[in-house]
Amino acid sequence: MKKLKFILSTIVLGLFIGNQTFAFASNCLSINKQIIQVNNLLSSHHKDMSINYQIPLYDENERIIAYGYSLQPIGYVIMDTAGYPVEYSFENPCPFTREDRVYYGGPLNYYIKETSQSYRHLMTREQISVSALQLSTSIFKDKEKTAQRNSEPLSLANTNSSYITYELPHATHTYSYNPDGRCGSVAAAIWLMYYDECLNDNTVPSDLVSSNGVTLINYLVPHIEGSDPEKGSSTEDVADGLNWYFQSRGLDQWFVADITYYATISSYIDVIEQNVPVIVDLNSHFLYGEHWVVGYGYSYSYTSQEIIVNDGWGHTGVYISMHYVGNIIY
């Protein structure tokens, strides 16, 4: 009987080790496929770069929901678990290190855990609760499911597709002044300065122009975020604030802020190809209700659609999947 028990125990242990080995092998295969996809993405953009390191990105339940890749000499790529590029940049440094255990809430939202109930944003240094992170990751995962339903799987055979890429001819200002929830005003200020420098140099008067954008941002806040910027701003708030600005400046006969709800890559490209930037609602910044950025380019292939944005935190050259775009203002 003891011998039989030993044999049964050996079989069970062997099955356990075998299953563990298979799971490990499957995980390695998945990661290897992602590495190939990242390299194909770089090749499609004609970038002579290499992967520096790779780390998993987690949700509030410690489950892996994406993988982050640091690029050499500079840049990063984030791929979701379905193999889609969520966001990437070839100009900005990787926002996380391999020493961090990073929690991911969708584009531009990276956190580290401080206590069992609180997290801190790696870029803004804002502290959030575990319930806020749960809301953020649920938005990300819902969009990931939608992306999987609506898009062709990113197979190894077609990730070599060349990207069609376009950027506006004039650079956008890298304003980053956002002590509260005024990202709508930051995006609006960046947008207006582009109009001033490229379309009508009377758009922004000299007394509202400053190197860091603070004067113009503060001027817009009461008309976009209102008296409490921490509540953020809706699509209508931003558009109405810009139209008030045009009217107050006597520019409403030339300029108007229009809205496209539930924008597609085609509607976004239609605006960019008029050589004007686009104010974009990413629908992923839970703290403000939404996060506003300024789109100034696009990059798409047969398998993927990205917009190129100024993130309102001082960075440009950030590529974000179209799956995370809600409404646009132009």
Side-chain angles (χ1 to χ4, degrees), residues 168-170 191-204 246 251 254-256 271 274-277 330:
L168 295 180
H170 186 74
W191 190 75
L192 286 172
M193 285 303 299
Y194 194 97
Y195 270 55
D196 183 74
E197 294 171 351
C198 298
L199 300 178
N200 184 332
D201 62 6
N202 191 42
T203 303
V204 182
F246 288 141
L251 298 170
W254 292 289
F255 300 132
V256 62
V271 180
Q274 297 175 38
N275 277 336
V276 293
Y330 57 94

Side-chain angles (χ1 to χ4, degrees), residues 12-294:
V12 170
L13 180 61
L15 287 173
F16 174 78
I17 294 173
N19 286 337
Q20 292 295 101
T21 302
F22 176 76
F24 175 76
S26 298
N27 187 50
C28 286
L29 178 61
S30 175
I31 292 174
N32 286 338
K33 285 180 66 176
Q34 286 222 356
I35 290 173
I36 293 171
Q37 290 165 346
V38 172
N39 284 325
N40 284 337
L41 181 69
L42 296 174
S43 176
S44 297
H45 282 284
H46 309 291
K47 298 295 183 182
D48 184 18
M49 295 179 172
S50 60
I51 296 173
N52 188 21
Y53 57 83
Q54 175 264 351
I55 67 168
L57 305 176
Y58 297 87
D59 67 6
E60 72 287 349
N61 294 314
E62 307 297 335
R63 293 176 298 197
I64 297 173
I65 57 174
Y67 290 91
Y69 294 86
S70 170
L71 301 179
Q72 187 78 297
I74 190 171
Y76 66 93
V77 176
I78 295 177
M79 306 283 285
D80 67 21
T81 54
Y84 295 96
V86 180
E87 63 172 292
Y88 54 95
S89 175
F90 304 131
E91 300 176 14
N92 300 305
C94 186
F96 41 78
T97 70
R98 67 174 81 195
E99 286 75 30
D100 298 323
R101 186 177 182 88
V102 180
Y103 298 81
Y104 189 52
L108 310 177
N109 287 293
Y110 331 101
Y111 303 90
I112 55 173
K113 182 184 286 189
E114 293 200 320
T115 70
S116 61
Q117 295 297 314
S118 67
Y119 299 79
R120 188 168 298 278
H121 199 291
L122 284 175
M123 296 173 70
T124 67
R125 309 309 299 172
E126 293 164 322
Q127 190 177 54
I128 64 165
S129 65
V130 65
S131 59
L133 180 64
Q134 184 175 16
L135 175 59
S136 178
T137 57
S138 69
I139 293 172
F140 167 64
K141 287 178 282 190
D142 286 345
K143 285 184 174 291
E144 180 180 305
K145 291 175 184 176
T146 301
Q148 292 179 42
R149 288 196 300 268
N150 296 341
S151 298
E152 178 183 349
L154 191 62
S155 69
L156 295 181
N158 56 28
T159 47
N160 282 320
S161 303
S162 292
Y163 277 74
I164 297 174
T165 302
Y166 177 77
E167 295 183 19
L168 295 180
H170 186 74
T172 55
H173 284 266
T174 53
Y175 298 154
S176 60
Y177 177 68
N178 189 0
D180 38 40
R182 62 183 66 195
C183 55
S185 292
V186 175
I190 294 169
W191 190 75
L192 286 172
M193 285 303 299
Y194 194 97
Y195 270 55
D196 183 74
E197 294 171 351
C198 298
L199 300 178
N200 184 332
D201 62 6
N202 191 42
T203 303
V204 182
S206 58
D207 61 320
L208 291 180
V209 177
S210 57
S211 60
N212 57 10
V214 172
T215 306
L216 180 57
I217 293 168
N218 287 339
Y219 185 75
L220 293 170
V221 165
H223 306 281
I224 293 181
E225 281 84 15
S227 59
D228 187 4
E230 290 188 0
K231 291 183 177 180
S233 52
S234 68
T235 302
E236 292 76 16
D237 291 335
V238 177
D240 289 346
L242 285 167
N243 285 326
W244 164 84
Y245 180 87
F246 288 141
Q247 291 168 6
S248 69
R249 294 284 303 150
L251 298 170
D252 50 318
Q253 58 182 314
W254 292 289
F255 300 132
V256 62
D258 289 321
I259 299 171
T260 294
Y261 293 97
Y262 309 109
T264 64
I265 189 65
S266 296
S267 58
Y268 175 85
I269 288 175
D270 286 344
V271 180
I272 291 293
E273 290 189 343
Q274 297 175 38
N275 277 336
V276 293
V278 183
I279 299 176
V280 178
D281 168 25
L282 288 184
N283 274 342
S284 64
H285 200 302
F286 60 89
L287 191 60
Y288 305 145
E290 55 190 10
H291 182 56
W292 293 105
V293 297
V294 177

